[in-house]
Amino acid sequence: MSTANNTSERFRPHTGNVAQTGLHYLSAGKGEPVVLLHGWGGFKEMWWATMQALSPYHHVIAFDWPGHGSSVPLEAGLPVLDALTDLALASSAALGLRGVTLVGHSLGGNVAARVALARPDLVARLALIDAVVDPGHLPATSWLFAHPRIGERALRFGRLISWPLSKLGSRIPHEHGGGFLR
């Protein structure tokens, strides 16, 4: 049996909820912490393969942003980027994380940069993937999601119209190996 198969057989992430912030997360492995922050419209499971690859060497945590995956929506009217930064900081503190490698994709990259600037003692390493560090460069459609009054409504509408597909997606195992639906 190959090493990859042995790794996938042992990979059993834990699902949790940070009581202090309401953020849901996946967690796997032991060692130095790696925190994974997805982009707007994403979800914690998008990091599945990354967590599987890193968990033999690190304690890997992937959060669901508010209104994404299993986490409840943000309170209406909050400045989204500030609120997400505060949630990432509070969730990391609640989980007792220190010296993290912080990885942010897209909007998660903006939040990761803000966290690193606010708490350099928390972040040992920072990796930004296609990060939206300057929201001024967002396409007009993305501004809808980042807007304090419109963002949550736009996200809820998007989730409503994609709901029928979620029923199909919930039956596809993480180890499906690729294909049309991911």
Side-chain angles (χ1 to χ4, degrees), residues 18 43 49 84 132 134 177:
V18 181
F43 45 91
L84 296 181
V132 182
D134 180 1

Side-chain angles (χ1 to χ4, degrees), residues 16-165:
N17 180 10
V18 181
Q20 296 86 335
T21 65
L23 291 188
H24 286 253
Y25 63 90
L26 284 175
S27 170
K30 294 188 185 313
E32 292 183 20
V34 176
V35 175
L36 307 168
L37 305 177
H38 66 75
W40 199 254
F43 45 91
K44 64 188 176 299
E45 286 83 6
M46 72 171 269
W47 296 107
W48 192 268
T50 304
M51 292 183 74
Q52 187 173 12
L54 294 176
S55 65
Y57 315 101
H58 300 280
H59 177 208
V60 189
I61 301 105
F63 292 114
D64 263 339
W65 288 131
H68 296 71
S70 305
S71 295
V72 298
L74 272 178
E75 204 176 296
L78 289 177
V80 174
L81 296 172
D82 293 340
L84 296 181
T85 301
D86 291 345
L87 286 168
L89 287 166
S91 296
S92 295
L95 295 176
L97 302 176
R98 291 184 301 263
V100 304
T101 296
L102 189 57
V103 180
H105 170 254
S106 189
L107 180 87
N110 182 298
V111 175
R114 289 168 177 254
V115 167
L117 290 169
R119 290 280 314 282
D121 59 306
L122 172 67
V123 180
R125 284 168 295 287
L126 178 65
L128 304 177
I129 304 165
D130 199 17
V132 182
V133 176
D134 180 1
H137 291 102
L138 283 172
T141 53
S142 296
W143 268 105
L144 288 175
F145 293 115
H147 192 277
R149 288 182 304 211
I150 302 170
E152 279 300 319
R153 289 186 198 125
L155 181 63
R156 284 188 202 129
F157 179 72
R159 290 179 77 183
L160 177 67
I161 62 174
S162 65
W163 179 79
L165 284 177

